[in-house]
Amino acid sequence: MSYTGTFRIWRGDADGGALADFRVEVNEGEVVLDVLHRLQATQTPDLAVRWNCKAGKCGSCSAEINGKPRLLCMTRMSVFERDDVVTVTPMRTFPVIRDLVTDVSFNYAKAREIPSFTPPADLAPGEYRMAQVDVNRSQEFRKCIECYLCQDTCHVVRDHEENKESFAGPRFLMRIAELEMHPLDVADRVPAAQEEHGLGRCNITKCCTDVCPEGIKITDNALIPMKERVADQRYDPLVWLGRTISRRRG
Amino acid sequence: MTTTARDTDGRGVGGRGVDSPGRAAIEARTLRSDRWWLPPLATTVGLLIFIGYATVRTFQQKYFFADERYLTPFYSPCVSLGCASEPGAAHFGMFLPDHPLIPYAALSLPFLLLFRLTCYYYRKAYYRSFALAPAACAVPEPHATYHGETRFPLVLQNVHRYFFYAALVIAVINTYDAIVAFRHPTDGFVVGVGNLVLLVNVVLLWCYTASCHSCRHVMGGRLTHFSKHPVRYRLWTWVSALNTRHATFAWITLGTLILTDLYVALVASGTITDLRLVG
Amino acid sequence: MTEIERHDYDVLVIGAGGAGLRAAIEARERGLRTAIVCKSLFGKAHTVMAEGGCAAAMGNANENDSWQVHFRDTMRGGKFLNNWRMAELHAQEAPDRVWELETYGALFDRTKDGRISQRHFGGHTYPRLAHVGDRTGLELLRTMQQRIVALQQDDFAETGDYEARLRVFAECTVTELLKDPAAGPDGAVAGALGYWRESGRLVVFSAPAVVLATGGIGKSFQVTSNSWEYTGDGHALALRAGADLVDMEFVQFHPTGMVWPPSVKGILVTEGVRGDGGVLKNSDGKRFMFDYVPDVFKGQYAQTEDEADRWYEDQENNRRTPDLLPRDEVARAINTEVKEGRGSPHGGVYLDIASRMKPEEIKRRLPSMYHQFKELADVDITAEPMEVGPTCHYVMGGIQVDPDSGQSRVPGLFAAGECAGGMHGSNRLGGNSLSDLLVFGRRAGLGAADYVVGLERRPAVRAEDVDAAAVLTLAPFDAPEDRADDTGRAENPYTLHAELQRMMNDLVGIIRTESEVADAQRRLGELRARVRQVFVEGHRQYNPGWHLALDLRNMLMVSEAVAASALLRTESRGGHTREDHPGLDPEWRHRVLVTRCARDGADGLETEQVVPRVVVEPAERVPMRADLLALFDLAELEKYYTDAELAEHPGRPADPGRPADPVGGTA
């Protein structure tokens, strides 16, 4: 059931690079990452690929296959025809390091900008009580494997390098939503979501949801509910009117 | 294998987006090999058809009331003095001046338009198809700068909720229209095909309205502790289930609005006759 | 070797899985400047693969649970080979460690009254596993990752620098530990040398305390559930630094891993498939497990298919199916079926649930299994049987440490998690791994902090050691013909790795015999010679061939430790099965096999730099404290202990000459 497939793989580094064609054996039941490993073992021992668990659970092997952000270990060869050329490139939103490996430090920097879980001051360990219905929403977001495919596909930063400073990206706006909906988090995260983390830049075109390998409904369950909470606080005409009046009095 | 170096063909220093300095140097703006342009194209065509049809019908100012009981949703509530041309069409009085540029349902249409214009689904649809921001995932958008919904006028998208409230009121009016249409001024209780058309239309309008993201938020999404509000949690669960089909309802109701209006117009113009099922 | 990047920390943690992060949190909270070095990106460690849960006797699901019950379960699971002090600390402290995670923001599944839900698992008397669906490991790791970010935010608020006291060096591999021989009779740890995977540049860490938390060794085996990182780095670094390993013969093979298709080879099929009605069949379609019920279990398991099938409905009046025999029994049976030619086309057997249950029922009961196979392998388990076979899952053996502080015999060298040995004895219970890494991760961090605070003089890194380590690290780039002991031949690291994996799988795998293990040792000797000739192409920037070449050194060392230990232990127990010595031998229970690095000249072996030789010797285990021993019935202990060991047990009739010890007395 083996055949020889054609792979077009981007090779290079920050100084430049190009797509190179390879003919490589493909066997039944394999995923793209299997084929890249065969390339490493037989033709290109120094082909740089980041990977880890190979089971879709760690989110290391993010790349773009035929132009779409995907996990290499979760893309089965059976979705292609035998004579398809499979094009593999690094993620195009982050700086490239070498071949298929990119510098994803942007995401770690953004993670640090989100204030951490803030429990009530007087609650001792072991005394936490939470209802399952209250943790369901945040648990969905905590399924995130941090593959950063949502960050990669989001046009706000993919197409506009200058927005990287002011935009946390779907993964970290979702982190804010996770904490905002955490039943025991006492911090108010709504104003900062809009003012510091760029929630307003999201135009809910849902590419983050489309590429999420965990199937998290990022847009519907995290981003839009956050936008609604912002609307509660800032764009509710009645609230605005009340604030304006009280400010004048003050 | 030719190597694409930086600083040629406008890359490097001058590049933006996927051509920004430091990113992998790939000539193609997108390597997507599927027909990614099809969904935005279909969306554009679909929306343009609706806009064209709705504009024509809104300003046509006739064929909006059929068989003395079917009022098309495009003319509901009929509050223009011009509604007098069709006795029985105005359920809530007539007070707006009759003018060719003032729709007969001028009280409701702007809100319905804004409700759909600021709807989270339609925003996605027209940002992708009209604004090409982005046309499809991982396909570069053509704009040099991007601010999203942070500035005027797009910052006004945030008031979607108030148009939702208005849409609720209008949905009630449409429901009223559909119910009173079962009463013929002379024949009493009747059921015609037109009744079923109005009924299906209004049920789907409710589905679209109730599946709105703002509705989901107001019903219970804003709560942190569902466990303390069991009734609102139940409501939120229902709306959430509908909400997953919000886009579907958005398209279905565009279709049913056109079909309903067309049916009323065809009956009103005498092109076809409404089939009586009961009475 | 000029211009090497240098960093100075109080505590250096190697490995960013659960144990490493918990150690780092503890060291930083004690005010020490702490660095974490990890081979992958931050937050990708193998801990994310843990599914079932984290065992802790919180008593939320059954209030009869207590640390004593958990302790007993753990000792039984390990067939009384466990380091009892570790098992005691583990059972006592696990609940606090889990509750602590909630203060970091963890969201476990809840009970009706809002506490942490606990689930049943094999070997645990009560429902004990705190869990989040089937992604508990991810929750633990992400929670501690976020705790580290929180600590960095505190430092930022105070100093303006996120990394003032806690820094993560991601995609950085440590290749050698550095010692200061002048610091005491055994020397002391002084730091480590590593390289950035991204750039290939070398980096030297000076640190008086190093915590090893590098995980397991599964990548030495062909079929494994482990990720590429599991190359036994911590085990090998510790050996080379002078520390000992214990129990290296005990490697847990899970009986049901996928064998086909290749994309999922080794990935676990949860025991829940069999628990819910899935049965094992050979290529003849026969449910072969009925032929493999060993004598000691006769009477406890069903003897006919009818009875086994009734057991799923009525567990009171029927005996359970032999498909649910202990893991080692099932794995052995599968192995025999395959060897005798009744295996599936890809060298496994069939695990069939499709013919036993309606598709909707399978999807409802085993959603993650259904999803896993559909997504990863395009296999519909509701329509076709799975092909399964044993897969290397966990190493019970590891670095010998002081149970309370996590310190090895080398001053300043600590270890925690899978790379530390002793806690699980000969076999680990499901759920005890996540709790292990929390309890002993914290203790190692604490031990390292106390050690550093108590130091009078910081050990110093010697320049010549850095140079020597750097030469070894860069050696794979040297042209083979330029090397001192050259044969001119260049070896490909991928080829050597594949050969090692195949050999370990075939000869030192789940079933072992003297002749095969001896053969393995001979072949390891050949591989050792060939590893010296490894040559990698390309340059140092993110070069996976080079990375593998360096990992190979560690895999070979650890493989030798496993093979040598497996040869010596002439009994079968837990994760070590000798076909030529099939039974438990109480004389082996009180002995531990200790692996150490061969000393120059002293062991009659030639000095070897690239892959130093190892020596395995038996030693006596420390007897269990009397109050802990008293937690078990004498009848149970008699199955495992020698008569002599139990002579003074309070349950034994008192020796006419002397009074019996009081129950619960301390030794």
Side-chain angles (χ1 to χ4, degrees):
Chain A
M1 295 294 280
S2 299
Y3 68 95
T4 303
T6 305
F7 275 68
R8 186 165 291 162
I9 296 168
W10 192 86
R11 301 210 62 189
D13 56 26
D15 296 326
L19 293 164
D21 285 358
F22 298 94
R23 302 274 293 159
V24 58
E25 180 188 329
V26 178
N27 298 312
E28 186 191 357
E30 289 187 326
V31 294
V32 172
L33 186 58
D34 289 313
V35 179
L36 295 178
H37 282 158
R38 182 165 301 115
L39 263 179
Q40 284 183 330
T42 57
Q43 300 180 40
T44 56
D46 60 344
L47 173 69
V49 186
R50 187 184 273 137
W51 67 287
N52 205 320
C53 76
K54 219 180 148 291
K57 289 184 176 168
C58 76
S60 297
C61 61
S62 308
E64 299 187 11
I65 300 172
N66 288 348
K68 285 186 183 172
R70 304 199 60 137
L71 293 180
L72 296 171
C73 74
M74 295 289 276
T75 307
R76 293 193 304 271
M77 286 307 299
S78 60
V79 303
F80 304 108
E81 299 296 327
R82 289 186 170 205
D83 50 2
D84 281 352
V85 176
V86 181
T87 307
V88 189
T89 69
M91 290 191 282
R92 296 180 72 178
T93 297
F94 310 119
V96 70
I97 293 172
R98 205 166 93 94
D99 301 343
L100 302 177
V101 177
T102 49
D103 173 3
V104 292
S105 55
F106 164 73
N107 301 291
Y108 291 97
K110 290 295 166 188
R112 279 178 180 165
E113 292 170 8
I114 313 291
S116 295
F117 172 60
T118 314
D122 53 350
L123 200 57
E127 289 177 3
Y128 284 50
R129 296 289 179 272
M130 294 176 261
Q132 185 62 44
V133 290
D134 295 341
V135 300
N136 281 338
R137 282 182 298 181
S138 297
Q139 279 187 335
E140 182 194 3
F141 307 145
R142 290 182 72 82
K143 287 194 317 198
C144 173
I145 57 173
E146 298 204 329
C147 62
Y148 306 126
L149 287 177
C150 59
Q151 306 281 86
D152 176 49
T153 199
C154 182
H155 68 113
V156 177
V157 285
R158 184 182 179 93
D159 294 333
H160 303 281
E161 183 75 22
E162 68 280 7
N163 284 344
K164 281 187 177 172
E165 199 178 317
S166 56
F167 186 63
R171 196 283 169 254
F172 296 104
L173 292 171
M174 181 175 83
R175 166 78 171 143
I176 297 173
E178 172 209 317
L179 290 165
E180 173 66 20
M181 296 176 192
H182 190 301
L184 289 177
D185 185 83
V186 296
D188 179 9
R189 298 169 185 280
V190 174
Q194 188 77 348
E195 283 157 25
E196 293 166 33
H197 305 294
L199 180 62
R201 291 186 186 276
C202 165
N203 70 346
I204 53 172
T205 35
K206 278 201 168 172
C207 285
C208 51
T209 305
D210 287 351
V211 300
C212 179
E214 284 294 299
I216 302 171
K217 300 278 180 267
I218 304 173
T219 316
D220 285 325
N221 290 348
L223 304 181
I224 292 175
M226 282 310 292
K227 279 182 175 261
E228 285 293 310
R229 286 176 191 228
V230 170
D232 272 350
Q233 289 195 2
R234 294 175 50 133
Y235 300 105
D236 187 324
L238 301 175
V239 172
W240 175 82
L241 198 66
R243 279 210 191 126
T244 312
I245 292 167
S246 64
R247 206 175 297 144
R248 283 202 182 136
R249 279 190 193 145
Chain B
M1 161 172 160
T2 55
T3 296
T4 308
R6 292 273 164 202
D7 300 319
T8 58
D9 63 288
R11 283 182 177 282
V13 182
R16 63 181 168 83
V18 290
D19 295 331
S20 298
R23 302 197 198 178
I26 299 167
E27 292 213 29
R29 298 276 288 163
T30 179
L31 288 163
R32 279 187 67 164
S33 50
D34 56 336
R35 288 186 293 172
W36 56 263
W37 41 267
L38 194 57
L41 183 66
T43 304
T44 308
V45 170
L47 290 179
L48 285 178
I49 287 174
F50 182 82
I51 291 167
Y53 179 89
T55 309
V56 169
R57 282 290 290 150
T58 301
F59 295 103
Q60 195 177 21
Q61 298 185 344
K62 55 183 175 181
Y63 308 137
F64 56 88
F65 195 63
D67 200 22
E68 301 171 65
R69 59 200 176 97
Y70 299 143
L71 178 65
T72 165
F74 284 101
Y75 284 75
S76 173
C78 208
V79 290
S80 165
L81 294 170
C83 298
S85 64
E86 294 286 354
H91 301 139
F92 301 93
M94 296 176 280
F95 39 84
L96 290 182
D98 184 8
H99 185 277
L101 289 181
I102 301 178
Y104 284 6
L107 273 194
S108 62
L109 290 188
F111 290 102
L112 287 179
L113 177 68
L114 288 166
F115 179 49
R116 295 210 178 221
L117 205 59
T118 58
C119 158
Y120 287 99
Y121 168 70
Y122 283 110
R123 273 145 77 178
K124 172 200 165 185
Y126 62 75
Y127 286 144
R128 279 199 184 195
S129 58
F130 288 84
L132 304 178
C137 301
V139 172
E141 58 178 56
H143 312 287
T145 58
Y146 172 87
H147 302 284
E149 299 179 340
T150 56
R151 296 181 177 184
F152 184 83
L154 291 183
V155 72
L156 292 179
Q157 305 277 31
N158 286 300
V159 297
H160 179 51
R161 178 176 320 169
Y162 297 90
F163 302 126
F164 160 69
Y165 292 140
L168 273 184
V169 174
I170 296 162
V172 169
I173 293 171
N174 290 147
T175 311
Y176 178 81
D177 292 342
I179 291 169
V180 300
F182 285 103
R183 230 189 109 244
H184 191 274
T186 51
D187 303 350
F189 176 78
V190 290
V191 179
V193 172
N195 287 109
L196 301 184
V197 170
L198 286 186
L199 205 61
V200 167
N201 178 57
V202 83
V203 167
L204 288 167
L205 282 179
W206 272 112
C207 286
Y208 170 70
T209 310
S211 64
C212 157
H213 291 84
S214 287
C215 176
R216 187 174 180 228
H217 177 76
V218 171
M219 288 300 160
R222 62 192 303 168
L223 300 171
T224 303
H225 299 97
F226 286 144
S227 55
K228 293 177 185 162
H229 304 84
V231 176
R232 290 184 68 184
Y233 173 61
R234 182 66 60 86
L235 286 170
W236 177 83
T237 312
W238 289 337
V239 172
S240 295
L242 278 178
N243 178 259
T244 59
R245 296 177 186 83
H246 193 49
T248 313
F249 289 129
W251 281 107
I252 287 178
T253 50
L254 286 191
T256 54
L257 278 171
I258 288 181
L259 288 177
T260 307
D261 178 76
L262 192 63
Y263 187 85
V264 171
L266 290 176
V267 174
S269 63
T271 315
I272 59 170
T273 315
D274 180 48
L275 183 66
R276 279 276 169 97
L277 302 172
V278 177
Chain C
M1 290 297 151
T2 52
E3 286 186 48
I4 291 184
E5 179 182 340
R6 285 171 191 275
H7 298 280
D8 205 348
Y9 284 92
D10 296 327
V11 177
L12 177 70
V13 178
I14 303 175
L21 297 191
R22 189 62 191 81
I25 289 168
E26 198 64 22
R28 157 64 186 77
E29 285 182 343
R30 300 271 155 171
L32 299 185
R33 293 186 69 249
T34 305
I36 302 166
V37 187
C38 53
K39 294 206 285 188
S40 278
L41 290 172
F42 187 32
K44 303 298 178 197
H46 202 52
T47 305
V48 300
M49 298 292 284
E51 297 182 346
C54 175
M58 294 182 285
N60 291 350
N62 187 320
E63 56 193 29
N64 292 323
D65 204 6
S66 66
W67 75 261
Q68 288 91 342
V69 183
H70 191 184
F71 170 76
R72 278 202 298 260
D73 289 343
T74 302
M75 292 300 294
R76 281 179 192 133
K79 298 220 163 81
F80 286 84
L81 231 65
N82 318 53
N83 179 312
W84 50 266
R85 175 62 176 160
M86 290 175 96
E88 179 192 17
L89 289 171
H90 168 260
Q92 287 173 337
E93 295 180 359
D96 285 338
R97 296 289 81 76
V98 173
W99 285 325
E100 197 169 61
L101 290 179
E102 288 199 304
T103 70
Y104 300 167
L107 285 174
F108 291 101
D109 287 349
R110 318 305 299 181
T111 62
K112 283 209 164 59
D113 62 354
R115 293 184 295 170
I116 295 172
S117 170
Q118 297 186 269
R119 71 158 51 126
H120 269 298
F121 229 63
H124 293 281
T125 305
Y126 299 113
R128 189 179 283 147
L129 272 65
H131 57 95
V132 189
D134 57 1
R135 55 163 191 89
T136 315
L138 175 66
E139 182 71 14
L140 254 72
L141 191 75
R142 195 69 77 233
T143 298
M144 286 192 275
Q145 180 185 347
Q146 287 164 349
R147 174 65 184 165
I148 281 175
V149 168
L151 291 167
Q152 291 179 324
Q153 289 170 341
D154 291 349
D155 288 346
F156 181 74
E158 202 179 308
T159 68
D161 178 7
Y162 284 112
E163 295 176 336
R165 274 179 294 213
L166 182 54
R167 181 171 169 192
V168 181
F169 293 79
E171 300 202 305
C172 185
T173 304
V174 168
T175 58
E176 219 63 69
L177 296 179
L178 303 168
K179 283 173 76 178
D180 182 348
D186 289 335
V189 159
L193 178 116
Y195 65 91
W196 289 103
R197 300 171 76 81
E198 186 178 305
S199 63
R201 288 199 321 272
L202 299 180
V203 51
V204 171
F205 298 93
S206 298
V210 171
V211 179
L212 294 171
T214 55
I217 65 164
K219 271 296 153 185
S220 297
F221 292 83
Q222 189 181 20
V223 181
T224 176
S225 61
N226 293 175
S227 81
W228 67 264
E229 291 195 281
Y230 269 34
T231 52
D233 294 6
H235 293 76
L237 288 171
L239 278 178
R240 293 201 291 266
D244 295 334
L245 309 186
V246 289
D247 296 336
M248 287 306 290
E249 65 276 29
F250 296 112
V251 179
Q252 189 174 69
F253 285 80
H254 197 289
T256 59
M258 290 295 288
V259 294
W260 181 260
S263 63
V264 293
K265 194 170 198 167
I267 291 183
L268 278 196
V269 180
T270 177
E271 228 165 276
V273 176
R274 282 172 285 146
D276 281 358
V279 295
L280 293 162
K281 291 179 179 170
N282 62 20
S283 57
D284 302 332
K286 183 182 163 142
R287 288 174 63 178
F288 58 84
M289 282 309 297
F290 289 95
D291 301 338
Y292 290 92
V293 183
D295 288 341
V296 289
F297 291 119
K298 283 263 160 66
Q300 296 175 40
Y301 287 83
Q303 282 169 327
T304 64
E305 295 189 13
D306 282 346
E307 183 182 2
D309 287 349
R310 285 198 304 271
W311 173 81
Y312 290 107
E313 305 302 322
D314 178 4
Q315 302 181 358
E316 292 297 314
N317 299 310
N318 297 286
R319 290 168 297 178
R320 60 165 54 195
T321 171
D323 292 294
L324 286 169
L325 274 161
R327 283 179 181 178
D328 50 340
E329 305 290 351
V330 180
R332 198 170 14 241
I334 294 174
N335 199 63
T336 306
E337 288 294 309
V338 175
K339 268 194 179 168
E340 294 179 359
R342 293 186 297 275
S344 66
H346 304 102
V349 294
Y350 295 107
L351 174 56
D352 175 25
I353 191 150
S355 72
R356 311 261 309 160
M357 216 181 267
K358 289 199 178 99
E360 311 81 65
E361 184 75 358
I362 296 172
K363 284 185 207 170
R364 190 180 65 78
R365 290 215 213 178
L366 299 162
S368 65
M369 278 297 118
Y370 175 76
H371 181 79
Q372 176 176 311
F373 285 108
K374 202 78 196 136
E375 287 286 315
L376 284 169
D378 201 16
V379 168
D380 181 357
I381 65 168
T382 68
E384 50 189 314
M386 302 162 245
E387 277 186 70
V388 296
T391 178
C392 179
H393 186 47
Y394 190 87
V395 60
M396 273 68 72
I399 302 157
Q400 188 170 35
V401 292
D402 170 59
D404 291 74
S405 70
Q407 184 162 226
S408 71
R409 60 176 292 163
V410 178
L413 184 62
F414 298 77
E418 190 174 348
C419 76
M423 160 68 206
H424 303 289
S426 67
N427 181 43
R428 176 178 68 78
L429 290 185
N432 268 2
S433 180
L434 290 180
S435 42
D436 168 11
L437 56 83
L438 291 174
V439 168
F440 294 105
R442 172 181 163 276
R443 282 195 162 267
L446 201 57
D450 288 346
Y451 169 81
V452 172
V453 170
L455 273 181
E456 285 173 19
R457 182 185 77 85
R458 280 175 81 100
V461 170
R462 296 189 306 178
E464 62 262 42
D465 291 342
V466 173
D467 290 349
V471 167
L472 267 179
T473 302
L474 298 176
F477 288 109
D478 299 339
E481 55 272 21
D482 297 342
R483 298 181 193 180
D485 56 349
D486 80 290
T487 54
R489 190 171 161 195
E491 293 285 353
N492 176 331
Y494 296 99
T495 310
L496 288 183
H497 185 213
E499 283 184 32
L500 172 71
Q501 288 184 307
R502 207 160 39 238
M503 192 274 293
M504 287 299 285
N505 226 73
D506 293 347
L507 303 180
V508 203
I510 176 142
I511 312 288
R512 299 156 178 176
T513 64
E514 183 175 342
S515 58
E516 286 186 347
V517 176
D519 188 26
Q521 287 190 305
R522 187 181 54 76
R523 296 210 208 171
L524 282 167
E526 290 167 13
L527 282 171
R528 158 202 303 284
R530 290 169 66 190
V531 162
R532 283 199 293 261
Q533 298 304 118
V534 159
F535 173 67
V536 295
E537 293 172 39
H539 47 83
R540 282 157 68 177
Q541 196 189 29
Y542 217 104
N543 187 334
W546 179 39
H547 304 163
L548 181 59
L550 295 173
D551 291 343
L552 262 180
R553 296 176 62 202
N554 300 335
M555 283 189 268
L556 261 183
M557 258 190 112
V558 171
S559 297
E560 295 205 342
V562 173
S565 303
L567 190 66
L568 281 181
R569 185 171 282 272
T570 49
E571 65 156 355
S572 292
R573 184 190 293 267
H576 171 65
T577 304
R578 282 284 296 265
E579 205 167 52
D580 44 352
H581 297 277
L584 277 178
D585 179 356
E587 291 298 342
W588 268 112
R589 195 216 61 82
H590 56 85
R591 281 190 283 175
V592 57
L593 292 175
V594 181
T595 307
R596 62 176 169 80
C597 211
R599 294 182 199 96
D600 287 357
D603 292 298
L605 298 166
E606 57 184 296
T607 309
E608 175 73 60
Q609 270 203 312
V610 178
V611 185
R613 293 177 183 275
V614 299
V615 177
V616 179
E617 287 160 346
E620 283 297 307
R621 288 183 190 274
V622 180
M624 198 190 300
R625 221 170 56 224
D627 62 316
L628 295 177
L629 199 64
L631 292 172
F632 298 94
D633 287 340
L634 185 61
E636 181 174 16
L637 294 176
E638 281 169 344
K639 292 181 190 167
Y640 298 97
Y641 280 67
T642 61
D643 266 359
E645 287 176 287
L646 294 173
E648 293 180 27
H649 190 277
R652 281 278 165 98
D655 201 359
R658 53 188 296 273
D661 283 344
V663 175
T666 51

